[in-house]
Amino acid sequence: MTATDPRPLTGEPVSLDLLNTHWMEEGERQDLLAGTEGLAIWLAANGLDGRFAADEATLRHTRTAREALKGLVDRPGDPDAIARVDAVLEHGRIRAVLTAEGPGERAEFADPSWGPAWTAARDYLDLLRTAPDRIRICAHEACILHFFDTSRNGTRRWHSMATCGNRAKASRHYARTKDQ
């Protein structure tokens, strides 16, 4: 039985969900990937637990991917950030396959402990292909969570209207009433 996922935001695409293994709670930075127990939670949350082990090697490689993706999100186009993501992608490949349902693809890894890291990096490429302008970081200054904006008009600003959006509105209201 896997422990409960403590993160405030889950269900994002796997690349952003990996970034969201860091979050703020009461002013303290939290890290789900502090150990293999947290890795097991993250793997289960993304349907990867049946394919990959929550061991030290997988944890190390998954953290490497998280830092590489964070660099690319913070500095899009930065050659060093691109090289770090490419280095993660070097550990896997896509093999074309024919299945009973028709054409398909299968990811292959020389070292399966790179599987989750590669999967997250590959997912980020898919997001960049689909809608790079919809990859966002929460607009609340104390929040470090990332999300893929699926709103109709593409104007979502907060990872959650109930938490960060509400805090921002309350802050603005407080500032207005304090000045009066």
Side-chain angles (χ1 to χ4, degrees):
M1 168 95 181
T2 306
T4 305
D5 195 331
R7 298 174 298 152
L9 178 62
T10 58
E12 290 298 320
V14 69
S15 56
L16 301 181
D17 197 66
L18 178 57
L19 293 175
N20 291 340
T21 57
H22 273 150
W23 73 98
M24 298 300 287
E25 188 173 293
E26 297 180 14
E28 299 278 325
R29 187 179 179 101
Q30 306 296 311
D31 185 359
L32 184 66
L33 300 182
T36 56
E37 303 80 17
L39 175 62
I41 291 169
W42 183 78
L43 291 171
N46 287 282
L48 300 172
D49 54 333
R51 293 174 47 207
F52 304 108
D55 58 21
E56 288 297 328
T58 305
L59 178 62
R60 190 170 51 255
H61 301 320
T62 303
R63 284 183 187 150
T64 296
R66 178 177 65 183
E67 294 313 309
L69 289 169
K70 178 81 171 104
L72 196 55
V73 168
D74 289 349
R75 299 177 310 279
D78 176 69
D80 181 55
I82 291 169
R84 291 173 64 204
V85 171
D86 276 348
V88 172
L89 291 167
E90 297 259 337
H91 294 279
R93 67 179 182 163
I94 295 290
R95 176 175 297 276
V97 296
L98 183 58
T99 68
E101 293 81 37
E105 295 180 336
R106 182 177 65 230
E108 292 183 342
F109 313 100
D111 177 356
S113 67
W114 277 99
W118 182 90
T119 300
R122 170 66 193 250
D123 176 72
Y124 193 74
L125 296 183
D126 292 341
L127 294 180
L128 289 175
R129 262 188 224 99
T130 309
D133 57 320
R134 296 229 175 185
I135 299 167
R136 307 265 169 80
I137 187 165
C138 184
H140 192 277
E141 67 276 354
C143 186
I144 60 173
L145 295 172
H146 298 79
F147 61 91
F148 190 69
D149 184 357
T150 57
S151 67
R152 181 179 297 188
N153 58 5
T155 58
R156 182 173 156 198
R157 298 184 53 214
W158 299 286
H159 84 271
S160 165
M161 190 61 206
T163 55
C164 287
N166 194 39
R167 281 187 209 132
K169 287 181 174 187
S171 238
R172 284 194 307 269
H173 175 73
Y174 176 76
R176 277 194 312 270
T177 58
K178 186 178 138 197
D179 291 343
Q180 292 173 354

